[in-house]
Amino acid sequence: MAPLPFESRNRVLLRSTLIYAPAIFLTRISALLLLIIATRLIDQDEYGLLTLVVSVGEMTDVAVTNWLRIALVRLGGKGTISRGSLALAARVLVITTVVAIALSVAAAGFIAPERAWEFSLAVSGYLVVGAVGRYALSVLQMQQRHSVYSMMEFLRAFLQLVLPVTAMLVFKDQFLTVSLASSLGWLIAGLVALALALPKTVPGPSRFSYRELFALGIPLIVIAVMGFGLNSAERVLLKVYYDAGAVAIFAAAYALARQPIDLVSNAINMGGFPEVVARFDADGPEAAASFLSHTMALMLRLTLPIAALLVALSSDIVQLVLPPEYHGAAAQLFPIIAFSVICANLTAFVYEVVILAHKRPILMVMVNAPGSVVTIGLSVLLIPMFSVVGAAFALAGGMLTSLIACIIVSERLTHIPVPWRDIMLSAGIAVLSGGTAYIASTLLADLWVIFRLGFAGAAGGSVFLALNAMLFPRETADFARRLRLRFSRS
């Protein structure tokens, strides 16, 4: 079959972005509001421990349970989902979650020995509710029920803001109660998602066997273990070398610099990944590669200018959002973290997709292992001397190494045409947008920070929109048309 035409590729990606962006946007806004409130209501060390719970939970989840969700989406198909497939996956999920909890309890004694039992309980809760919630969302994603998926993310974002803030007001400086309240919000959203997803499944045997599931999953587990260094190792080492307060500063800066870039990239990928897999199976590797090339172009077209604006306005953002004790080096971290996030998103949402489409996940050992080694090595070298800045450079070094390794490995399977012209134009737009915002911020230095940030951001954003309309008229017109249609239906 012929490769997907440009207009169709563009339509699929824009539809994905418009469908998933509002839900992802709300979750990011919820996280940002929680960051603003938490840094003011609880002690800096308590906030550092709270972020470590999420970091360790994510690390353990990626290593032990996340592979199952990837395998379920890859093997279970899309549209009509059999209950046999879900039951088989659920049985395995229970076992992997128990293993994850055991590992997290063991890690707690090393990471936070002074609060080991509280830390263990918080991470265990995170893992249990994460297993339920992500399993439910995976089923909705397989069913192509995009609107319901978005509604569940809305619910999750609302609950994971309201319940933790309530816990902070009631229990004050207690990271455990805040973490458990957040987990409760995720659990409620996950159970509601399950209640909506399961009735739409159909009776029937599993589409895959335990052998097929583990054949795809075991390499993913090995990959995750080899990639421990890429998944928040720098935060763990910050806690070991310094204290939870240093982790709090790094985590706050990371959240602020990461969220806007991740919002757009994840919105594109939510619909893009199932589409790439479907195109690969139906039309072959060339069609999938063409689609991924367009994905890369769109992702960088949107995220490079966002990164430039974040860097240009980093001092204003930190001054507005974080309390004074967090300022310090936080603004210095923005360019390093933005670079790291872009590298990570290119790796995960473009080049790793090729490896997964070919059902060769074991090859990702060659991607994760070098990046992990570099991150841990640089952390050990740089964190003792440079604290949070050293942690940021360690993260950037690991992510760049992982991206380079992933490009080399994926190119041996299927060549992805690099849209150099689009990338260069996007880089130029980013420089001009960020430069405009920086100049505006400097000229308005005497204004209150909230007004300075608003005017400077609007100036940079206007340049971004104008240049995009000028250089990419077809895509801009298509996006505007779809945006009007979406709002007219809501």
Side-chain angles (χ1 to χ4, degrees), residues 379-392:
S379 295
V380 172
L381 289 173
L382 299 179
I383 288 176
M385 293 185 290
F386 303 109
S387 185
V388 292
V389 176

Side-chain angles (χ1 to χ4, degrees), residues 223-224 226-228 230 343-344 346-348 351-353 355 360-375 397-411 413:
I223 291 160
M226 295 296 291
F228 261 130
L230 287 173
C343 288
L346 284 174
T347 302
Y351 290 101
E352 281 187 359
V353 174
I355 300 172
R360 301 280 300 279
I362 192 63
L363 294 177
M364 285 199 291
V365 170
M366 302 177 188
V367 174
N368 284 356
S372 184
V373 169
V374 168
T375 300
M399 291 302 179
L400 178 60
T401 302
S402 182
L403 173 59
I404 293 171
C406 197
I407 292 172
I408 294 171
V409 172
S410 67
E411 285 291 304
L413 299 175

Side-chain angles (χ1 to χ4, degrees), residues 166-470:
T166 302
M168 291 178 211
L169 294 172
V170 174
F171 298 103
K172 305 302 180 184
D173 284 345
Q174 289 291 330
F175 84 93
L176 174 60
T177 55
V178 177
S179 178
L180 292 178
S182 178
S183 295
L184 177 61
W186 197 185
L187 178 61
I188 294 170
L191 292 175
V192 173
L194 269 181
L196 294 173
L198 294 181
K200 296 291 185 180
T201 58
V202 297
S206 175
R207 294 184 56 179
F208 50 86
S209 64
Y210 284 108
R211 180 175 181 179
E212 290 173 310
L213 187 67
F214 283 106
L216 184 60
I218 289 176
L220 291 173
I221 296 173
V222 174
I223 291 160
V225 172
M226 295 296 291
F228 261 130
L230 287 173
N231 299 302
S232 304
E234 71 286 343
R235 299 188 193 190
V236 173
L237 290 172
L238 261 178
K239 171 64 170 63
V240 172
Y241 283 113
Y242 287 90
D243 52 29
V247 178
I249 294 172
F250 179 85
Y254 182 79
L256 291 173
R258 171 194 176 189
Q259 299 288 17
I261 300 171
D262 256 9
L263 187 158
V264 173
S265 298
N266 275 281
I268 294 171
N269 180 67
M270 280 294 183
F273 174 65
E275 190 66 30
V276 169
V277 171
R279 291 287 161 184
F280 183 92
D281 292 339
D283 303 336
E286 289 187 6
S290 179
F291 191 93
L292 284 171
S293 177
H294 192 64
T295 300
M296 185 193 308
L298 180 61
M299 189 179 297
L300 291 176
R301 187 181 309 156
L302 297 176
T303 58
L304 285 177
I306 291 172
L309 289 173
L310 287 169
V311 172
L313 302 175
S314 57
S315 296
D316 292 339
I317 294 171
V318 168
Q319 185 178 343
L320 176 66
V321 173
L322 299 177
E325 61 268 24
Y326 281 80
H327 290 182
Q332 302 176 36
L333 304 182
F334 272 56
I336 312 170
I337 292 172
F339 173 79
S340 303
V341 174
I342 289 174
C343 288
N345 287 341
L346 284 174
T347 302
F349 301 150
V350 178
Y351 290 101
E352 281 187 359
V353 174
V354 173
I355 300 172
L356 291 174
H358 278 274
K359 298 183 182 178
R360 301 280 300 279
I362 192 63
L363 294 177
M364 285 199 291
V365 170
M366 302 177 188
V367 174
N368 284 356
S372 184
V373 169
V374 168
T375 300
I376 294 173
L378 289 178
S379 295
V380 172
L381 289 173
L382 299 179
I383 288 176
M385 293 185 290
F386 303 109
S387 185
V388 292
V389 176
F393 274 116
L395 176 66
M399 291 302 179
L400 178 60
T401 302
S402 182
L403 173 59
I404 293 171
C406 197
I407 292 172
I408 294 171
V409 172
S410 67
E411 285 291 304
R412 295 176 67 88
L413 299 175
T414 298
H415 170 66
I416 300 176
V418 179
W420 290 113
R421 177 181 176 276
D422 274 26
I423 292 175
M424 296 303 294
L425 289 175
S426 299
I429 292 172
V431 170
L432 292 174
S433 302
T436 300
Y438 180 79
I439 292 170
S441 176
T442 303
L443 293 175
L444 300 172
D446 293 333
L447 285 182
W448 286 352
V449 64
I450 188 169
F451 295 114
R452 182 168 71 245
L453 186 59
F455 285 126
S462 298
V463 170
F464 163 70
L465 293 174
L467 291 175
N468 263 281
M470 183 188 306

